[in-house]
Amino acid sequence: MSRAIFSFIPALLIPCDCSCSMLLYPFKPFLFLSCTDIIGTLRPDMKALMTYVSCYYHAFSGAQKAETAANRICKVLAVNQENEQLMEDYEKLASDLLEWIRRTIPWLEDRAPENTMQAMQQKLEDFRDYRRLHKPPKVQEKCQLEINFNTLQTKLRLSNRPAFMPSEGKMVSDINNAWGGLEQAEKGYEEWLLNEIRRLERLDHLAEKFRQKASIHEAWTDGKENMLQKKDYETASLSDIKALLKKHEAFESDLAAHQDRVEQIAAIAQELNELDYYDSPSVNARCQKICDQWDNLGVLTQKRREALEKTEKLLETIDQLYLEYAKRAAPFNNWMEGAMEDLQDTFIVHTIEEIQGLSTAHEQFKATLPEADKERQAILGIHNEVTKIAQTYHVNMAGTNPYSTILPQEINNKWDHVRQLVPRRDHALMEEHARQQQNERLRKQFGAQANVIGPWIQTKMQEIGRISIEMNGTLEDQLSHLRQYEKNIVNYKPKIDQLEGDHQQIQEALIFDNKHTNYTMEHIRVGWEQLLTTIARTINEVENQILTRDAKGISQEQMNEFRNSFNHFDRDHNGTLGPEEFKACLISLGYDIGNDPQGEAEFARIMSIVDPNRLGVVTFQAFIDFMSRETADTDTADQVMSSFKVLAGDKNYITADELRRELPPDQAEYCIARMAPYIGHDAVPGALDYMSFSTALYGESDL
């Protein structure tokens, strides 16, 4: 014992120049030891030497404890300051994103219809600009927000802090719900735009068809009421009366032939009303006028027939040739008018099959032209026969056919017009066929790319899921593999952009369906955004696992064991454990969790640790934290409290001067600003309560 003490003395004694004494410098008080006390004494006083040595020991030990306490507080405060900055950043980013969503959804939910195709096309172009320019940066912000949230929660768990709970309405789930509402409104707005364009396109076609048919009908009915109201039969001869009767029969035949056109006009007007055509009042007024006039024609026709039938002697002098001419000329004239309508009718088709159907119908119509020409020549032959008889027998002709207003020259003119319209129709059908071929090429081009990109995205999603579940190599290997996947995915973006370009061409061509693929651009966009989010989230999870492993001192073998246990009970392989799965895993690891109230309470306590947000699932990261937290060397509120007590000299309070003397300036001011005043019976002016501050750092009280 004495040998050990003497061996320690040279390190504590400071020799002096004189031979009188040696000076010993502990901190306080100063102790003096005479040289003669040791040299001049054959056997120095052991108790005196031990007393001096213990003074040095206690002095140096107290200084080391103060330094350790200050270092611990600095470490804790630095972590707390960093976490508070991350929380502020999250709140700001979440607020900005939610505000953008709040401003955007009302615009997408605006369904004010337009009256013109040009106005709707402008809305569609504005929507495309939103998709190309405004939404992609917000998708990146949303992804970064989730990454920041996960990283913050991981750091809080590693530093033994309570989980971060964002402000009300700013949870990740709230943002995802708001984002889902945005995408739902976006989808509904796009569908509404396309439906409105179809509706306006249909309305323009129907309105033009209505005007054309109404004009033809009004031209035909012009003067018919006056003709039916004439009293010419009152002063006519017998032959004239009989001629008027036959003429009236021919008119009734013509009237019946026009019945279908009137019904078509009414049907088109009804459809325009159902489709909410902006000029429906004028259409309805014109349609009503035509229907009223048509009813009046029916009444006048019936009245004239009754008047003519009252007249006797109408049968013997009727010119059969004129009657035959009138009966054959009227249907043929109606046929030519109908043919001219069909040849000039506009058409809207969306597929090659539809245009081929129109072309086939047109070819069938052209095949009937030779028979129609024979009918025309037969009708003209009747007229020529009447002229020949009149010349041969010197019949005094009135100049016109009493049974028909259709002249041979009119038939020839209309026939020539029909023959001129046929090649025009051929040209229009050929142009439309070429356009549909181009549309089909666009469909095939889009379908070929979509059928490659869609499965590629699904395959990458599955591969990323397997990487996050399987245990191939170390976490660093998995992270490297995932970063390579992320690089490959980012390099795939030009193909998505190319597909967007093809989709824009399809929309500009007003192509509404594509039989060559089941994928729409919306499906591709959603899948691409999910893929980017998934790879970023998976990389973040692996980084957090590495951070946890390094912070907790977990070996790779332990990580593999944790992953094996987790995967074994993850029955559906979705990367999380439900409550029952997690309970079975704990039981397999030796935890005594029964179905009795005590076991349920213990399991509820553990679930509050691994699932603080009460989502009903346990992630692999939370599983690792739980498995390692009880053996890890982490700071606690009691440890920080003890450190403050050392700095305060065993007092129950600490002063601002003591904090500024022992801590760095920024952290000292941080503590002073947040510590509550100490109100104990031993308080002095300016005393601060470091105990409540220490518990608040770990969420055990309010800061």
Side-chain angles (χ1 to χ4, degrees), residues 609-623:
I609 296 174
V610 298
D611 184 21
N613 295 326
R614 298 182 180 179
L615 301 178
V617 295
V618 179
T619 64
F620 182 61
Q621 181 64 39
F623 179 74

PDB file of all heavy atoms in Angstrom, residues 609-623:
ATOM      1  N   ILE A 609     -45.765   1.832 -28.766  1.00  0.00           N
ATOM      2  CA  ILE A 609     -44.369   2.172 -29.062  1.00  0.00           C
ATOM      3  C   ILE A 609     -44.082   2.032 -30.546  1.00  0.00           C
ATOM      4  O   ILE A 609     -43.487   2.906 -31.174  1.00  0.00           O
ATOM      5  CB  ILE A 609     -43.413   1.274 -28.241  1.00  0.00           C
ATOM      6  CG1 ILE A 609     -43.586   1.538 -26.736  1.00  0.00           C
ATOM      7  CG2 ILE A 609     -41.965   1.491 -28.669  1.00  0.00           C
ATOM      8  CD1 ILE A 609     -42.801   0.606 -25.851  1.00  0.00           C
ATOM      9  N   VAL A 610     -44.507   0.897 -31.134  1.00  0.00           N
ATOM     10  CA  VAL A 610     -44.166   0.620 -32.536  1.00  0.00           C
ATOM     11  C   VAL A 610     -45.131   1.293 -33.499  1.00  0.00           C
ATOM     12  O   VAL A 610     -44.833   1.418 -34.684  1.00  0.00           O
ATOM     13  CB  VAL A 610     -44.128  -0.901 -32.801  1.00  0.00           C
ATOM     14  CG1 VAL A 610     -43.071  -1.571 -31.961  1.00  0.00           C
ATOM     15  CG2 VAL A 610     -45.496  -1.545 -32.515  1.00  0.00           C
ATOM     16  N   ASP A 611     -46.322   1.682 -33.022  1.00  0.00           N
ATOM     17  CA  ASP A 611     -47.305   2.336 -33.894  1.00  0.00           C
ATOM     18  C   ASP A 611     -47.854   3.571 -33.189  1.00  0.00           C
ATOM     19  O   ASP A 611     -49.029   3.608 -32.805  1.00  0.00           O
ATOM     20  CB  ASP A 611     -48.435   1.342 -34.238  1.00  0.00           C
ATOM     21  CG  ASP A 611     -49.441   1.933 -35.216  1.00  0.00           C
ATOM     22  OD1 ASP A 611     -49.081   2.901 -35.921  1.00  0.00           O
ATOM     23  OD2 ASP A 611     -50.589   1.454 -35.271  1.00  0.00           O
ATOM     24  N   PRO A 612     -47.023   4.604 -32.997  1.00  0.00           N
ATOM     25  CA  PRO A 612     -47.475   5.778 -32.239  1.00  0.00           C
ATOM     26  C   PRO A 612     -48.591   6.545 -32.935  1.00  0.00           C
ATOM     27  O   PRO A 612     -49.374   7.219 -32.290  1.00  0.00           O
ATOM     28  CB  PRO A 612     -46.198   6.630 -32.125  1.00  0.00           C
ATOM     29  CG  PRO A 612     -45.348   6.207 -33.286  1.00  0.00           C
ATOM     30  CD  PRO A 612     -45.637   4.748 -33.486  1.00  0.00           C
ATOM     31  N   ASN A 613     -48.679   6.450 -34.260  1.00  0.00           N
ATOM     32  CA  ASN A 613     -49.716   7.167 -35.006  1.00  0.00           C
ATOM     33  C   ASN A 613     -51.005   6.373 -35.141  1.00  0.00           C
ATOM     34  O   ASN A 613     -51.945   6.822 -35.791  1.00  0.00           O
ATOM     35  CB  ASN A 613     -49.206   7.537 -36.404  1.00  0.00           C
ATOM     36  CG  ASN A 613     -48.057   8.510 -36.335  1.00  0.00           C
ATOM     37  OD1 ASN A 613     -48.012   9.353 -35.446  1.00  0.00           O
ATOM     38  ND2 ASN A 613     -47.111   8.401 -37.253  1.00  0.00           N
ATOM     39  N   ARG A 614     -51.037   5.151 -34.563  1.00  0.00           N
ATOM     40  CA  ARG A 614     -52.229   4.300 -34.566  1.00  0.00           C
ATOM     41  C   ARG A 614     -52.759   4.043 -35.968  1.00  0.00           C
ATOM     42  O   ARG A 614     -53.935   4.210 -36.260  1.00  0.00           O
ATOM     43  CB  ARG A 614     -53.323   4.933 -33.709  1.00  0.00           C
ATOM     44  CG  ARG A 614     -52.924   5.077 -32.241  1.00  0.00           C
ATOM     45  CD  ARG A 614     -54.039   5.659 -31.398  1.00  0.00           C
ATOM     46  NE  ARG A 614     -53.626   5.778 -30.005  1.00  0.00           N
ATOM     47  CZ  ARG A 614     -54.401   6.282 -29.040  1.00  0.00           C
ATOM     48  NH1 ARG A 614     -55.633   6.711 -29.337  1.00  0.00           N
ATOM     49  NH2 ARG A 614     -53.955   6.343 -27.792  1.00  0.00           N
ATOM     50  N   LEU A 615     -51.842   3.629 -36.846  1.00  0.00           N
ATOM     51  CA  LEU A 615     -52.220   3.293 -38.220  1.00  0.00           C
ATOM     52  C   LEU A 615     -52.671   1.850 -38.354  1.00  0.00           C
ATOM     53  O   LEU A 615     -53.172   1.445 -39.395  1.00  0.00           O
ATOM     54  CB  LEU A 615     -51.036   3.554 -39.176  1.00  0.00           C
ATOM     55  CG  LEU A 615     -50.518   4.989 -39.205  1.00  0.00           C
ATOM     56  CD1 LEU A 615     -49.325   5.098 -40.142  1.00  0.00           C
ATOM     57  CD2 LEU A 615     -51.623   5.942 -39.652  1.00  0.00           C
ATOM     58  N   GLY A 616     -52.456   1.032 -37.315  1.00  0.00           N
ATOM     59  CA  GLY A 616     -52.877  -0.360 -37.353  1.00  0.00           C
ATOM     60  C   GLY A 616     -51.888  -1.283 -38.031  1.00  0.00           C
ATOM     61  O   GLY A 616     -52.202  -2.445 -38.299  1.00  0.00           O
ATOM     62  N   VAL A 617     -50.678  -0.802 -38.344  1.00  0.00           N
ATOM     63  CA  VAL A 617     -49.647  -1.630 -38.970  1.00  0.00           C
ATOM     64  C   VAL A 617     -48.305  -1.338 -38.306  1.00  0.00           C
ATOM     65  O   VAL A 617     -48.101  -0.263 -37.724  1.00  0.00           O
ATOM     66  CB  VAL A 617     -49.548  -1.381 -40.495  1.00  0.00           C
ATOM     67  CG1 VAL A 617     -50.812  -1.814 -41.196  1.00  0.00           C
ATOM     68  CG2 VAL A 617     -49.241   0.081 -40.790  1.00  0.00           C
ATOM     69  N   VAL A 618     -47.385  -2.319 -38.407  1.00  0.00           N
ATOM     70  CA  VAL A 618     -46.036  -2.178 -37.857  1.00  0.00           C
ATOM     71  C   VAL A 618     -45.054  -2.301 -39.015  1.00  0.00           C
ATOM     72  O   VAL A 618     -45.014  -3.322 -39.698  1.00  0.00           O
ATOM     73  CB  VAL A 618     -45.745  -3.266 -36.807  1.00  0.00           C
ATOM     74  CG1 VAL A 618     -44.328  -3.113 -36.268  1.00  0.00           C
ATOM     75  CG2 VAL A 618     -46.759  -3.194 -35.676  1.00  0.00           C
ATOM     76  N   THR A 619     -44.289  -1.244 -39.265  1.00  0.00           N
ATOM     77  CA  THR A 619     -43.304  -1.279 -40.332  1.00  0.00           C
ATOM     78  C   THR A 619     -42.052  -2.001 -39.860  1.00  0.00           C
ATOM     79  O   THR A 619     -41.844  -2.221 -38.655  1.00  0.00           O
ATOM     80  CB  THR A 619     -42.953   0.142 -40.786  1.00  0.00           C
ATOM     81  OG1 THR A 619     -42.333   0.832 -39.696  1.00  0.00           O
ATOM     82  CG2 THR A 619     -44.199   0.903 -41.214  1.00  0.00           C
ATOM     83  N   PHE A 620     -41.195  -2.363 -40.832  1.00  0.00           N
ATOM     84  CA  PHE A 620     -39.954  -3.039 -40.485  1.00  0.00           C
ATOM     85  C   PHE A 620     -39.046  -2.124 -39.664  1.00  0.00           C
ATOM     86  O   PHE A 620     -38.350  -2.566 -38.758  1.00  0.00           O
ATOM     87  CB  PHE A 620     -39.255  -3.497 -41.769  1.00  0.00           C
ATOM     88  CG  PHE A 620     -37.960  -4.251 -41.507  1.00  0.00           C
ATOM     89  CD1 PHE A 620     -37.947  -5.430 -40.776  1.00  0.00           C
ATOM     90  CD2 PHE A 620     -36.744  -3.761 -41.987  1.00  0.00           C
ATOM     91  CE1 PHE A 620     -36.772  -6.106 -40.534  1.00  0.00           C
ATOM     92  CE2 PHE A 620     -35.571  -4.439 -41.750  1.00  0.00           C
ATOM     93  CZ  PHE A 620     -35.587  -5.621 -41.009  1.00  0.00           C
ATOM     94  N   GLN A 621     -39.071  -0.814 -39.977  1.00  0.00           N
ATOM     95  CA  GLN A 621     -38.248   0.137 -39.229  1.00  0.00           C
ATOM     96  C   GLN A 621     -38.683   0.188 -37.767  1.00  0.00           C
ATOM     97  O   GLN A 621     -37.865   0.178 -36.844  1.00  0.00           O
ATOM     98  CB  GLN A 621     -38.366   1.536 -39.862  1.00  0.00           C
ATOM     99  CG  GLN A 621     -37.537   2.602 -39.174  1.00  0.00           C
ATOM    100  CD  GLN A 621     -36.056   2.325 -39.277  1.00  0.00           C
ATOM    101  OE1 GLN A 621     -35.601   1.882 -40.317  1.00  0.00           O
ATOM    102  NE2 GLN A 621     -35.314   2.553 -38.217  1.00  0.00           N
ATOM    103  N   ALA A 622     -39.998   0.243 -37.537  1.00  0.00           N
ATOM    104  CA  ALA A 622     -40.495   0.253 -36.159  1.00  0.00           C
ATOM    105  C   ALA A 622     -40.172  -1.064 -35.449  1.00  0.00           C
ATOM    106  O   ALA A 622     -39.875  -1.085 -34.250  1.00  0.00           O
ATOM    107  CB  ALA A 622     -42.001   0.506 -36.156  1.00  0.00           C
ATOM    108  N   PHE A 623     -40.208  -2.167 -36.210  1.00  0.00           N
ATOM    109  CA  PHE A 623     -39.882  -3.476 -35.641  1.00  0.00           C
ATOM    110  C   PHE A 623     -38.423  -3.500 -35.168  1.00  0.00           C
ATOM    111  O   PHE A 623     -38.095  -3.992 -34.090  1.00  0.00           O
ATOM    112  CB  PHE A 623     -40.151  -4.551 -36.695  1.00  0.00           C
ATOM    113  CG  PHE A 623     -39.829  -5.958 -36.228  1.00  0.00           C
ATOM    114  CD1 PHE A 623     -40.641  -6.628 -35.333  1.00  0.00           C
ATOM    115  CD2 PHE A 623     -38.687  -6.607 -36.705  1.00  0.00           C
ATOM    116  CE1 PHE A 623     -40.337  -7.913 -34.919  1.00  0.00           C
ATOM    117  CE2 PHE A 623     -38.378  -7.887 -36.304  1.00  0.00           C
ATOM    118  CZ  PHE A 623     -39.213  -8.552 -35.395  1.00  0.00           C
TER     119      PHE A 623
END
